Amino acid sequence: MNHILLLFGLYFIQGLPYGVQTGFLPVYLRSKGISLASVGAFKLLLLPWFLKGLWAPLVDRFASKASWLRGSVAAMFVTCLFISCIHPDDTVALCALLFLFNLFSATQDVAVDGLAIQLLDGAELGAGNTAQVVGYKSGAVMASGLTAIEQTLGWTGVFAALAAVYFAALLVLQGRVKDVECTSADGQTKGDKSSRDDYKGHQGALRSVHVEVMNTEGTVWVAVFVLIYKLGSHQSLSKHRF
């Protein structure tokens, strides 16, 4: 159960950047007179989430999941501090920092998924998947609601509060993840060395699986369906804010 709660918290903070960019920012920017086209263009800054597969093998092969996790959370903490210090009218700086925010969050996603594989046994996979979905969605919804407190805290206060959340998460990670990373729920060792060895041993098999999947009839249509579904889902969650 401790593992499930830990994963819930990690996926919760992982959902915050998405809620900020699809919930809070559109409303805030529109209230300042920014055009719909310009607001929509901000979604291009979510690109790291679509490209995270490019550096995911690096997260798997180098350093430990705990190191990547602490590093990405620390980076999001610093990024939020920088965002709190700039004026939202400084578009170039805001876009650069939001891009980094998404980059670090996408990297955290890769590290958390790898950590979940190490921590959970077969009986906990269902609960772990629930923690992932509910935690991420809860974080996104909470961040979307930051508009309600922006009137009181202001731009600086909102991102300072987000920075405080990431700092608190970093403190928890310092005391928890380094202790549990190498031991699964059933007490078996699942260290990163073995993970890297498994990666090297199964690299060829994984490549053949990818080729087989792509050659399977209907794969492309399923991929197109999933893409359209996700785009429609994201649009339905955000259209009422405009």
Side-chain angles (χ1 to χ4, degrees):
M1 182 58 69
N2 288 338
H3 293 166
I4 301 300
L5 293 176
L6 174 64
L7 292 174
F8 176 87
L10 292 174
Y11 284 116
F12 177 85
I13 63 174
Q14 183 181 303
L16 294 177
Y18 181 81
V20 167
Q21 197 160 323
T22 62
F24 169 71
L25 275 182
V27 175
Y28 180 86
L29 295 176
R30 285 292 291 157
S31 70
K32 302 301 179 182
I34 305 299
S35 68
L36 281 175
S38 298
V39 171
F42 270 81
K43 290 192 175 183
L44 293 175
L45 299 176
L46 293 168
L47 188 62
W49 282 94
F50 297 95
L51 300 178
K52 63 182 179 180
L54 297 178
W55 63 88
L58 298 178
V59 177
D60 192 58
R61 297 185 66 180
F62 299 102
S64 66
K65 300 298 185 300
S67 297
W68 283 100
L69 196 51
R70 287 194 294 266
S72 58
V73 172
M76 287 188 284
F77 162 67
V78 173
T79 303
C80 284
L81 286 182
F82 274 112
I83 296 177
S84 71
C85 295
I86 68 170
H87 196 282
D89 290 340
D90 189 349
T91 307
V92 174
L94 178 59
C95 287
L97 289 170
L98 285 175
F99 181 84
L100 291 176
F101 198 27
N102 285 302
L103 176 64
F104 299 139
S105 182
T107 303
Q108 181 210 351
D109 176 53
V110 176
V112 174
D113 287 346
L115 184 65
I117 292 174
Q118 293 180 342
L119 292 180
L120 303 177
D121 58 23
E124 292 180 312
L125 291 180
N129 185 66
T130 300
Q132 177 189 33
V133 175
V134 176
Y136 182 86
K137 294 294 186 182
S138 298
V141 170
M142 195 204 81
S144 298
L146 290 174
T147 307
I149 64 173
E150 187 273 331
Q151 298 293 332
T152 302
L153 298 180
W155 175 271
T156 298
V158 166
F159 283 95
L162 285 174
V165 171
Y166 284 112
F167 183 73
L170 190 59
L171 293 179
V172 173
L173 289 174
Q174 286 293 110
R176 285 288 299 152
V177 173
K178 64 183 179 182
D179 294 329
V180 302
E181 182 184 21
C182 295
T183 305
S184 68
D186 59 6
Q188 295 179 345
T189 299
K190 295 186 178 182
D192 282 285
K193 183 178 184 303
S194 62
S195 296
R196 289 192 292 270
D197 292 340
D198 289 342
Y199 177 87
K200 294 176 182 178
H202 295 288
Q203 189 174 20
L206 288 173
R207 186 180 296 110
S208 66
V209 169
H210 292 159
V211 173
E212 181 180 354
V213 169
M214 293 307 299
N215 289 335
T216 301
E217 184 179 358
T219 296
V220 174
W221 290 111
V222 171
V224 171
F225 171 79
V226 172
L227 177 61
I228 294 175
Y229 169 79
K230 294 297 290 184
L231 290 174
S233 175
H234 292 169
Q235 181 64 21
S236 67
L237 288 174
S238 58
K239 67 179 182 180
H240 69 280
R241 302 186 182 107
F242 300 101

